Every structure is written in C-alpha cells, then in structure tokens.
Amino acid sequence: MISIRQTIANDRNQIWSILEPVFRAGETYAIARDIAKEDALNYWCGPNHETFVAEDSGRILGTYYLRANQGGGGAHVANCGYITAPEAEGRGIARAMLSHSLERAVGRGFRAMQFNCVVSTNTRAVESWQRNGFAIVGRLPQAFHHPTLGYVDALVMFRQL
C-alpha cells in the first residue's frame, strides 16, 4: 500500500537513488546531467520546497516537491516536480503523488498549478497531466536539448485549483 509523507533527513539517500538516474539521463528535467548529489538534493529538498515521498513498506518509490511557482504577485500559483523510481513505474505512484500535491496545494491556499518546462517528448507525463485537468498553455520551440533527440519543444501546462 502506497503512503505519501513529508521527507525526513534520513530519506536523502533513497531520494538520491531516484533522482540520480533521471537527472543523469537528461531527458525530462532541465538539470545539469552531471549535477553533484548534494546539489541535486539541496535543489529538490530546498528551503522553498515542501518535499514528499511515496513509499510502500518503508521503500521510497517516488518523490515530489511543492513550491510557489513565482514570488510576489505570482505566489498564488503552485509548481511541482515529480519523479518515480524506474522499478515502480506503472504502479500509480505518479498519479498518487499528483493527487496528493493537488490536495496539498489547495490546503496551502494556492489557486492554480503550473508546470514550466514539460519536455514535449515526455508523452507519459503530458498525457497524465492532461487527464488530470492540465492544459497546454504555451509551447517553447526547441527550448530543451534532449541528449538523443536534439532540440525539442518544452510545454507550459496549467490548471486552476
């Protein structure tokens, strides 16, 4: 059974084991492929991020963060990043984290959620976000350099809460 909770300090190594292959692959996040472990963890679990893990029987299978997309006049719009462990794909982890993040965002008073750089070739994510009420509100032509496909579009996706 999957449960979602806020991260604790002891989660960092398991979180890194999920982040590292995704960041190293360079296919879905605009993060340097050679980012150091501590830099990656400081980004993912940063002071402006509320970070969560999805776990089953004590094993972390996914992680996400929630933050304000912008400051000031844009602070009412949430932003999140999600990563599922490769061995847990297809088990509904991302769907559970998305549902949790939407509820948490509403609870924190956010009025909308925006994803700033959804790589257009990440079709599983695009389709999942669309099934959950997100619309593509912008297309940034060739804004992401994919390691094998070259320059591809990045999408801005948005949903009212």
Side-chain angles (χ1 to χ4, degrees):
M1 180 142 142
I2 298 166
S3 62
I4 298 177
R5 62 168 174 79
Q6 271 193 292
T7 59
I8 58 173
N10 290 345
D11 294 334
R12 289 175 71 88
N13 284 331
Q14 284 190 71
I15 291 172
W16 174 241
S17 73
I18 294 169
L19 299 180
E20 183 181 24
V22 173
F23 289 172
R24 297 285 182 251
E27 297 174 346
T28 56
Y29 275 87
I31 300 287
R33 292 175 72 188
D34 63 350
I35 190 168
K37 175 182 178 179
E38 283 309 307
D39 292 339
L41 289 168
N42 289 339
Y43 164 73
W44 198 261
C45 304
N48 296 327
H49 292 186
E50 188 176 23
T51 309
F52 296 86
V53 293
E55 65 182 356
D56 184 8
S57 303
R59 177 157 168 73
I60 295 175
L61 302 175
T63 180
Y64 84 87
Y65 66 77
L66 170 67
R67 66 175 181 161
N69 190 49
Q70 303 291 331
H76 63 285
V77 178
N79 173 261
C80 292
Y82 311 84
I83 298 182
T84 300
E87 69 273 11
E89 288 180 6
R91 291 184 48 191
I93 306 296
R95 186 172 46 252
M97 291 191 298
L98 175 61
S99 178
H100 188 271
S101 69
L102 291 170
E103 290 174 20
R104 182 70 183 148
V106 168
R108 286 189 48 193
F110 288 110
R111 298 176 50 116
M113 188 173 288
Q114 179 175 318
F115 304 142
N116 301 314
C117 186
V118 181
V119 179
S120 61
T121 56
N122 188 358
T123 56
R124 285 182 68 185
V126 172
E127 291 167 2
S128 180
W129 305 153
Q130 288 177 316
R131 276 193 309 275
N132 285 277
F134 286 83
I136 297 170
V137 297
R139 179 176 292 270
L140 309 170
Q142 299 185 354
F144 186 84
H145 189 216
H146 191 283
T148 58
L149 302 175
Y151 293 97
V152 298
D153 295 352
L155 309 173
V156 178
M157 300 187 75
F158 184 86
R159 176 191 157 160
Q160 296 285 340
L161 298 177

